[in-house]
């Protein structure tokens, strides 16, 4: 009896710890996750995590080492499934799903929280906090799937602003959006095309209900021009918009051009950095930021002033003025559709040095794949090959004979940049006699894959055949490989260079040895270091 009670208690505890149900979770009626047998899959059915002790581990990892932990946790209450990530206020991420419907009911990113209807998935409330204190919130009113009203409230519940929405009865497209202040005065009227729902006009009003401005838009919703009015509703001036898409340039002359602000600039402007402080710009460059005081004799001032004098407006939040063939550009805020001259910063960009990349190698000499380390010079590579001279192939590529060779491989190739040293390594395997199914080649592949996984962790495996290829059957495995229709690889794309001595990517795969034969294959293995991008950029510059 005592043994039975102990067994019953154990089963009860186990059941409680692993009681997350098999359920589909949705965001606005679209599937987000599937939880099945304590595993989590994404919206396409691809595996994401395995659940262990309320923690989420990547890719079914059997390891409970923190390197395989996603930093997310999953818990449940009587009514909710809760996924959380992060501990600090700014990084905190929380998702709550209804057990009843599977719909998302709460989504919180840092200081912003969104609340949804558990039956319809529609957004009901958006709240903003600072250090845990409510600043303001908005409430949405719906009729069916049509948003009727959004009311913006201060923390004390008083109304600050509200927006009413109207729809076309035939097309169900939103045709009007009317903004009112707390005193019920109309601030803005937005008109949309009844067929497309895209904005066509925007009316802005003064406090006395007179028209302040009228903005016209093209069929894609991009602003074309803005008409400004006096308080007597007389047109004062018409200004034209410069429309800048993500990669579009507005050309001033052969020397200067204007673009929207890039993501990298936004990240630098958001950081609390000192002037002249060198910060990361991207994988290959660093940047320094300095306040730039414009004078009337400055060429930059002349260009921006010309824009303003000609009545040209910039609809983006901020812009960059680039000088061609230079290593710097100028940043400007845009307020009320116009460039703010007082916000000018000069951002200087420069390449990261080879010493920067070599500093990733913290384990000493010859610890990298086949004994090759990031940033090695030609002479250092020669030394790692016991003095055997590398054989030049083309551009940065060399055949080498490493001291630390592997019996599976017969050829070794390294890429060495004059400026950034060694940045890529490839091993080419011996021919493997194999059958039509590729059995022997796949066995050697999987044996090597097991070794690499134990050292570098989780990987992504690809085993696919082109959809329009005729022979998908397994006994045509090698035929598909020969014809280039089959991909059989494993990849590591998320390695942290800081943890792997500058190593960033690994690729492993099988190729057919001969163009017209299917009985021989070989394995290839490639390693890319974090200086690869900039070395390749330097190489491409000569073309």
């Amino acid at each position: 009896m005592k043994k039975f009670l102990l067994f019953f208690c154990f089963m009860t505890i186990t059941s409680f710890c692993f009681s997350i149900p098999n359920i589909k979770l949705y965001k606005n009626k679209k599937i987000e996750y599937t939880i099945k047998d304590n595993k989590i899959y994404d919206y396409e059915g691809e595996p994401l995590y395995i659940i262990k002790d309320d923690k989420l581990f990547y890719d079914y990892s059997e390891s409970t080492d923190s390197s395989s932990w996603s930093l997310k946790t999953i818990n449940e209450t009587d009514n909710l499934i809760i996924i959380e990530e992060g501990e600090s206020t700014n990084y905190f991420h929380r998702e709550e799903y209804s057990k009843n419907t599977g719909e998302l009911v709460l989504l919180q990113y840092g200081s912003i929280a969104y609340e949804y209807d558990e039956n319809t998935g529609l957004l009901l409330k958006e709240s903003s906090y600072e250090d845990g204190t409510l600043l303001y919130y908005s409430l949405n009113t719906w009729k069916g799937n049509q948003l009727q009203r959004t009311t913006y409230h201060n923390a004390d519940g008083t109304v600050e602003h509200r927006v009413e929405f109207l729809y076309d009865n035939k097309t169900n497209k939103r045709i009007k959006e009317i903004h009112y202040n707390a005193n019920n005065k109309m601030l803005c009227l937005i008109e949309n095309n009844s067929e497309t729902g895209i904005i066509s006009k925007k009316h802005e009003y003064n406090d006395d209900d007179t028209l302040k401005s009228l903005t016209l838009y093209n069929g894609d919703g991009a602003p074309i021009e803005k008409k400004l009015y006096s308080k007597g509703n007389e047109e004062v001036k018409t200004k034209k918009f410069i429309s800048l898409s993500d990669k579009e340039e507005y050309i001033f002359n052969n020397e200067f051009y204007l673009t929207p602000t890039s993501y990298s600039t936004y990240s630098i402007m958001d950081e609390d950095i000192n002037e002249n402080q060198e910060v990361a710009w991207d994988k290959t460059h660093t940047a320094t930021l300095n306040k730039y005081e414009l004078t009337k004799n400055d060429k930059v001032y002349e260009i921006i002033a010309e824009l303003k004098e000609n009545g040209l407006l910039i609809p983006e939040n901020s812009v960059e003025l680039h000088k061609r063939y230079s290593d710097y550009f100028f940043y400007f805020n845009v307020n009320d559709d116009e460039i703010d001259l007082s916000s000018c910063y000069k951002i200087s960009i420069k390449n990261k040095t080879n010493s920067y990349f070599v500093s990733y190698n913290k384990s000493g000499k010859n610890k990298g794949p086949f004994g090759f380390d990031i940033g090695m010079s030609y002479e250092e590579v020669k030394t790692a090959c016991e003095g055997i001279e590398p054989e030049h192939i083309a551009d940065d590529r060399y055949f080498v004979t490493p001291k630390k060779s592997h019996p599976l491989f017969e050829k070794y190739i390294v890429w060495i940049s004059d400026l950034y040293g060694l940045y890529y390594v490839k091993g080419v395997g011996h021919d493997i006699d194999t059958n039509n199914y590729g059995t022997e080649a796949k066995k050697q592949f999987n044996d090597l894959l097991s070794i690499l996984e134990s050292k570098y962790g989780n990987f992504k495996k690809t085993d696919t055949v082109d959809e329009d290829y005729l022979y998908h059957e397994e006994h045509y495995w090698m035929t598909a490989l020969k014809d280039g229709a089959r991909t059989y690889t494993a990849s590591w794309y998320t390695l942290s260079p800081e943890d792997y001595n500058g190593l960033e990517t690994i690729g492993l795969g099988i190729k057919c040895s001969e163009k017209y034969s299917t009985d021989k294959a070989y394995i290839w293995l490639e390693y890319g270091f974090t200086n690869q991008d900039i070395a390749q950029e330097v190489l491409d510059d000569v073309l």
Side-chain angles (χ1 to χ4, degrees), residues 258-281:
L258 198 70
T259 70
T261 292
S262 69
Y263 174 80
S264 297
T265 306
Y266 275 126
S267 64
I268 284 183
M269 298 304 294
D270 288 341
E271 291 180 11
D272 184 19
I273 61 174
N274 299 318
E275 291 200 7
N276 289 315
Q277 178 183 347
E278 193 171 276
V279 296
W281 175 256

Side-chain angles (χ1 to χ4, degrees), residues 146 166-175 192-198:
Q146 290 182 345
L166 299 175
Y167 298 82
D168 184 273
N169 292 329
K170 293 181 179 179
T171 63
N172 287 324
K173 297 289 186 181
R174 184 184 297 174
I175 55 174
N192 299 331
N193 184 292
S194 62
E195 297 296 326
T196 64
I198 296 174

Side-chain angles (χ1 to χ4, degrees), residues 254-532:
N254 292 331
E255 190 177 9
F256 287 94
Y257 63 93
L258 198 70
T259 70
T261 292
S262 69
Y263 174 80
S264 297
T265 306
Y266 275 126
S267 64
I268 284 183
M269 298 304 294
D270 288 341
E271 291 180 11
D272 184 19
I273 61 174
N274 299 318
E275 291 200 7
N276 289 315
Q277 178 183 347
E278 193 171 276
V279 296
W281 175 256
D282 56 23
K283 286 173 60 176
T284 58
H285 298 84
T286 59
T288 53
L289 176 73
N290 291 284
K291 191 75 175 69
Y292 191 81
E293 301 296 336
L294 293 171
T295 68
K296 291 189 177 181
N297 295 324
D298 196 306
K299 184 66 175 177
V300 175
Y301 174 84
E302 290 179 14
I303 291 173
I304 299 301
E306 182 180 349
L307 265 182
K308 294 169 73 71
E309 289 170 6
N310 291 337
L312 297 175
L313 303 177
I314 312 294
E316 278 74 22
N317 292 328
S318 53
V319 291
E320 299 170 2
L321 181 66
H322 293 260
K323 185 174 183 180
R324 295 188 187 281
Y325 315 114
S326 68
D327 57 359
Y328 60 87
F329 64 88
F330 302 91
Y331 165 90
F332 292 89
N333 271 327
V334 174
N335 297 318
D336 296 327
D337 298 321
E338 291 197 17
I339 290 177
D340 179 4
L341 293 175
S342 67
S343 67
C344 185
Y345 280 86
K346 184 177 181 179
I347 299 178
S348 301
I349 309 294
K350 68 178 183 180
N351 288 343
K352 292 177 179 176
T353 63
N354 192 35
S355 60
Y356 173 90
F357 294 106
V358 171
S359 68
Y360 279 113
N361 183 15
K362 299 180 178 63
S363 296
K365 295 286 185 181
N366 308 113
K367 297 293 185 180
F370 308 120
F372 297 119
D373 299 322
I374 181 174
M376 272 184 164
S377 67
Y378 177 93
E379 290 300 324
E380 288 172 326
V381 170
K382 180 179 175 180
T383 300
C385 296
E386 297 186 296
I388 300 174
E389 201 83 32
E391 179 186 344
H392 188 241
I393 304 171
D395 47 65
D396 287 345
R397 292 172 292 166
Y398 296 83
F399 281 123
V400 290
T401 307
K403 177 181 178 181
K404 292 186 176 181
S405 60
H406 190 283
L408 185 62
F409 298 97
E410 67 171 348
K411 294 179 183 178
Y412 301 86
I413 305 168
V414 296
W415 280 248
I416 308 172
S417 164
D418 290 340
L419 290 177
Y420 293 96
L422 184 141
Y423 61 90
Y424 208 79
V425 176
K426 182 173 184 176
V428 179
H430 295 280
D431 282 350
I432 304 167
D433 293 326
T434 188
N435 58 21
N436 291 336
Y437 295 86
T439 304
E440 294 80 3
K442 285 189 282 188
K443 182 183 183 305
Q444 289 199 23
F445 175 95
N446 289 324
D447 289 345
L448 185 55
L449 180 60
S450 179
I451 296 170
L452 292 168
E453 182 185 19
S454 66
K455 185 173 183 178
Y456 298 107
N458 298 318
F459 57 88
K460 180 179 180 181
K461 190 172 182 179
T462 303
D463 182 8
T464 59
V465 181
D466 294 346
E467 289 185 7
D468 57 353
Y469 188 68
L470 291 177
Y471 306 111
H472 284 246
E473 295 85 355
E474 280 298 302
H475 60 275
Y476 289 117
W477 199 93
M478 283 294 294
T479 303
L481 192 70
K482 172 183 70 71
D483 292 341
R486 177 178 294 282
T487 300
Y488 195 81
T489 61
S491 305
W492 290 256
Y493 287 117
T494 57
L495 295 178
S496 172
E498 294 85 356
D499 298 331
Y500 293 98
N501 300 318
L503 189 61
E504 191 168 47
T505 63
I506 305 174
L508 175 68
I510 301 177
K511 285 286 188 182
C512 209
S513 297
E514 299 176 10
K515 187 175 182 180
Y516 301 106
S517 175
T518 60
D519 61 353
K520 294 183 186 296
Y522 68 89
I523 291 172
W524 55 265
L525 176 61
E526 297 178 343
Y527 297 88
F529 293 93
T530 193
N531 59 342
Q532 176 188 344

Side-chain angles (χ1 to χ4, degrees), residues 26-31 103-104 116 120-123 145:
Y26 301 87
K27 287 185 180 179
N28 196 18
K29 292 297 183 181
K30 295 181 180 179
I31 190 167
E103 274 288 345
L104 180 73
Y116 301 85
T120 64
L122 299 173
L123 178 62
N145 288 322

